[in-house]
Amino acid sequence: IPKKLVTTVSGCADDALAGVVACNPGLRLLQGHRVVLRDDLQAIRGRVALLSGGGSGHEPAHAGYVGKGMLTGVVAGTMFASPSVGSILAAIRAVAQAGAAGILLIVKNYTGDRLNFGMALERARAEGTDVRMVVVGDDCAFTKPGKAGRRGICGTILIHKVAGALAEAGASLDEVEKKAMAAAKVMGTLGLSLSSCSIPGSKPSFQLAEDEMELGLGIHGEAGVRRMKMLPADKAVETMLKHMTDPSSASHLSVTPGSSVVLVVNNLGGLSCLELGIVAGAAVRCLENQGIRIARALVGSFMTAMEMAGISLTLMLVDEELLKLIDAKTMAMAWPNILAGPATTRREEVPAPIEPPRKPEDETGTGLSTARVERVLQRVCSTLLDMKEKLNELDRGAGDGDCGHTHAQAAQAIQEWIRSRPPPAAPAQLLSSLADVVLAQMGGSSGVLYGLFLTAAGQSLRGRSDSAAWADAMDAGIEAMQRYGGAAPGDRTMLDSLFAAGQALHSLRSPGADPLQVLAAAVQSAEAAAEATRHMKARAGRASYVDSFLLEQPDAGAVAVAAVLGAVLE
C-alpha cells in the first residue's frame, strides 16, 4: 500500500477540506456537512448561485473553485465517491436561504454524481426552489461512448468559470444554464498517464509496466482506451491531440485550422512541474503547427487523481464572448491569476544585452612578455591534462569524481584561447580574460570559484606593477572566493592550498624580497596544505556530505591548485 501523509485514512477528506478553509479567509464550511461555501454569501442575493462537487482526491477540485466569479459552493464526497444527497440538499438550501435568484448545479458525468445531485435537485424543487443541472461530459477517450456517455473530467473547470462569470455579471438562470450547456458542447479532454493512483489505505487501482503509458484513463484510475509504449513528450502530445480531434471518433472535438481555443494542460497529480512545462510547450507547438490559435493557456494542477503521474489536455473552442468570460476576474484560489493573452512558442525573445567595452588598459611597460605568458599557460594546461585521472580518482571519495574532468576542460579551453589570439600581456587584463574563459568553459562550482578568484585578483592588479601587487591580488581573490563560496581555511577545499600560498606571498611586501624565492616558498606551502587536507574533516563543498572516515585522500581541488602554482614557478 503506497505511503500517504494523512492523519487518519477515514478522516482524510474532512481534514483536507478543513485545511483549505483554514488557509483561505474567503471560504467557510457548512456545519454538519462536507460542504464549502463562499464566506460572502450575502453577495449572491439576487444572483444565480452555482454549486458543484464530487468525490475527494481531485484537489484543488472542487473547493479551489469556490469564490467570487466562480462557484458559490461545493459538496465533497469521500475519496473518489459521490457526495451524499443530504449534503447536496443542505448546500442548495443554504444558498437558497441566502437569497439566490436560482441555482445551477454543475455535475461531472458519472453515474453516482448524476444520481445524487439529481435526487437532491428533485427534493429542492419540491420545496419550491428553482434548481437546474448541467451535466458535463468532456472526455474524448472512447470513439464509441456507451450508454453512460462521456465522462466528466478536467474541462468541467472551464464550465465553472464561464457560468461563474455570467452569474457574477447578473445573468439570469436561463442564460447561465443555456451558455454553460453550449460551452460544454464545444470542448474535449483526454488524459494520459505513466502510473496508477491510490486512495489512502488502498493499493493502486491498476499497474503499468515501466515502459508503458495509458491513453484516455479517467480521474479515478478507470481504464483508458489503450496502453502503449513510452513516447517522448512531443510524440505523446501529438498522439493525444490527434485522438481528441479524430473525425471518425464519436466523442471528438472538431478543431480546424483558424480555430481559436483555450488550452488546459492539467497535472493529474504526480507529474513534476518540469515535465508539465515540457508538455505545455509541446501542446502549444503542435496546435500552432496545425494553424490553431491558442487564445489562452492554463497550465497547472486543476483536477487531479491523487498521485497519478499523468496529464490531461483540454481544448475549448472560443469566440470573443466566451473568451471574455474566461478572462473575467475571480477570487477562486485554484484559478491561475496570470496576464490574459494568447499562448505561442514564437514569442519574441528579449535581445541579449550588449557587453560593455573593456576599459582601455593604461599599463605600458608593466606587462609581461606575451611569449612568457604563453609558456606559463601551456605548462599549467599540460600539468592539468596530465593529472586528469589522478584528480578524478581523488575526487571519487567525495561522491562525484569529476574534478580532473572539469580542470581538463578548463585547460583545453585555455589552449584553444591561446591558439585563437595572443594572450594580453597586462596582468589585470590577462586574469580578467582567463576568468571569462573558465567561467564559460570549465563548468561546475570549480569554474565559478576560479572565475571569482581571477576576476577579483585582476581588479586588484589594475594599474599596478610592483611585486606587492601580486600579494594583494592573491588576497583579493581569496576574499572573493570566501565571500561567495562560504569555505574557510581548514574546511578541506581548494581554498586551503590558495590560502597557504597567499600567506607566503605576503613576503613580497618586504623591501628587497626575491620574487622567485617567495613564489617557491608559496608553492611549497600550497603543496603542504594540500597534503594536510588528507587529515581534515570536510566542512564545505560536496565532500561535506560524506563521512570523514571515508575521505582518506587529500582534497582534489587543493591538489589541483598546488599543481597550478607549481607549473607557474617551473
Side-chain angles (χ1 to χ4, degrees):
I1 293 174
K3 293 180 280 191
K4 294 281 191 293
L5 200 58
V6 298
T7 303
T8 64
V9 168
S10 59
C12 59
D14 293 297
D15 292 346
L17 274 190
V20 168
V21 172
C23 296
N24 191 324
L27 302 180
R28 288 173 73 181
L29 284 164
L30 182 61
Q31 190 178 8
H33 295 278
R34 207 177 285 116
V35 171
V36 174
L37 297 166
R38 278 172 59 170
D39 178 63
D40 58 344
L41 273 188
Q42 67 281 1
I44 66 158
R45 180 171 295 278
R47 298 177 191 272
V48 172
L50 304 173
L51 296 174
S52 188
S56 296
H58 305 302
E59 292 71 20
H62 302 82
Y65 303 109
V66 175
K68 184 179 179 180
M70 283 192 82
L71 300 175
T72 313
V74 295
V75 194
T78 54
M79 301 302 301
F80 288 177
S82 299
S84 69
V85 173
S87 288
I88 300 167
L89 186 58
I92 293 171
R93 285 171 176 160
V95 295
Q97 287 166 22
I103 298 162
L104 182 67
L105 308 180
I106 300 170
V107 179
K108 298 189 302 300
N109 187 29
Y110 288 98
T111 303
D113 287 3
R114 278 202 326 269
L115 285 171
N116 290 11
F117 276 90
M119 183 69 244
L121 176 145
E122 294 299 331
R123 294 273 300 276
R125 279 183 178 169
E127 294 172 3
T129 308
D130 190 1
V131 191
R132 319 273 177 87
M133 186 161 85
V134 170
V135 178
V136 180
D138 55 319
D139 187 13
C140 293
F142 298 98
T143 53
K144 293 178 181 175
K147 193 172 182 182
R150 296 163 64 184
R151 296 176 292 205
I153 44 182
C154 186
T156 309
I157 68 159
L158 296 178
I159 306 307
H160 294 163
K161 185 68 183 63
V162 167
L166 286 163
E168 186 59 35
S172 67
L173 181 57
D174 284 339
E175 188 183 357
V176 176
E177 179 189 27
K178 180 184 169 187
K179 289 186 174 172
M181 287 173 71
K185 286 175 182 170
V186 291
M187 72 173 180
T189 301
L190 187 66
L192 175 80
S193 189
L194 316 182
S195 79
S196 179
C197 62
S198 60
I199 60 175
S202 299
K203 290 180 179 178
S205 50
F206 64 92
Q207 294 293 334
L208 275 174
E210 286 294 313
D211 62 344
E212 282 185 327
M213 56 200 331
E214 181 147 353
L215 185 72
L217 71 180
I219 53 171
H220 310 93
E222 312 96 317
V225 285
R226 75 172 188 269
R227 287 189 180 184
M228 51 197 189
K229 293 294 180 188
M230 280 292 299
L231 293 170
D234 54 348
K235 297 295 180 192
V237 166
E238 208 174 287
T239 303
M240 293 175 76
L241 292 170
K242 187 176 178 184
H243 186 95
M244 290 170 71
T245 58
D246 181 359
S248 67
S249 168
S251 61
H252 82 284
L253 178 68
S254 184
V255 181
T256 53
S259 295
S260 198
V261 299
V262 167
L263 165 70
V264 181
V265 183
N266 173 53
N267 187 345
L268 285 170
L271 207 69
S272 70
C273 292
L274 179 133
E275 292 163 282
L276 195 65
I278 293 168
V279 167
V284 171
R285 195 161 44 249
C286 188
L287 290 167
E288 276 186 323
N289 290 342
Q290 295 172 37
I292 295 158
R293 179 176 180 268
I294 306 101
R296 302 288 183 269
L298 283 65
V299 182
S301 298
F302 301 110
M303 189 172 288
T304 63
M306 288 300 294
E307 78 280 29
M308 186 180 282
I311 50 152
S312 66
L313 299 178
T314 300
L315 295 178
M316 175 189 269
L317 291 163
V318 289
D319 54 18
E320 284 305 311
E321 184 190 3
L322 259 184
L323 208 50
K324 279 179 184 167
L325 298 172
I326 294 291
D327 287 344
K329 186 169 173 54
T330 177
M331 296 298 290
M333 65 178 183
W335 187 262
N337 182 23
I338 57 169
L339 191 67
T344 176
T345 56
R346 298 158 192 166
R347 220 178 290 289
E348 192 177 342
E349 294 182 347
V350 176
I354 299 163
E355 267 197 56
R358 286 191 185 275
K359 291 176 184 173
E361 296 286 340
D362 182 20
E363 301 203 27
T364 313
T366 66
L368 310 162
S369 78
T370 299
R372 188 176 168 195
V373 168
E374 281 196 28
R375 280 198 307 275
V376 170
L377 289 177
Q378 287 291 7
R379 276 203 309 271
V380 168
C381 292
S382 298
T383 300
L384 290 176
L385 289 168
D386 291 344
M387 294 180 73
K388 179 180 174 180
E389 289 310 319
K390 178 186 176 182
L391 292 174
N392 280 341
E393 186 60 37
L394 290 175
D395 198 35
R396 283 192 187 102
D400 49 1
D402 66 347
C403 183
H405 176 70
T406 53
H407 280 80
Q409 267 186 312
Q412 287 163 344
I414 291 168
Q415 286 178 332
E416 185 63 39
W417 174 64
I418 294 169
R419 280 194 290 272
S420 66
R421 65 181 68 80
Q429 201 176 343
L430 173 64
L431 296 192
S432 178
S433 298
L434 283 170
D436 290 344
V437 174
V438 296
L439 284 169
Q441 302 295 332
M442 188 172 186
S445 54
S446 298
V448 183
L449 288 166
Y450 278 113
L452 278 166
F453 175 82
L454 290 165
T455 300
Q459 290 279 10
S460 177
L461 282 169
R462 281 190 180 278
R464 294 183 63 185
S465 59
D466 53 303
S467 294
W470 290 95
D472 294 343
M474 190 76 158
D475 286 352
I478 290 168
E479 195 275 328
M481 287 176 76
Q482 286 188 270
R483 189 181 337 134
Y484 295 106
D491 284 349
R492 197 185 190 276
T493 68
M494 64 195 289
L495 191 69
D496 289 299
S497 294
L498 271 174
F499 185 79
Q503 294 298 106
L505 286 182
H506 287 177
S507 298
L508 290 172
R509 293 173 183 147
S510 303
D514 181 342
L516 283 177
Q517 283 185 356
V518 173
L519 183 55
V523 171
Q524 284 184 332
S525 297
E527 289 170 347
E531 178 58 29
T533 60
R534 184 192 294 272
H535 310 294
M536 290 179 186
K537 177 176 173 57
R539 294 190 188 88
R542 195 171 293 179
S544 62
Y545 302 111
V546 181
D547 284 336
S548 56
F549 72 85
L550 297 173
L551 300 170
E552 298 168 348
Q553 305 280 6
D555 179 70
V559 170
V561 166
V564 168
L565 291 169
V568 170
L569 176 64
E570 279 176 24

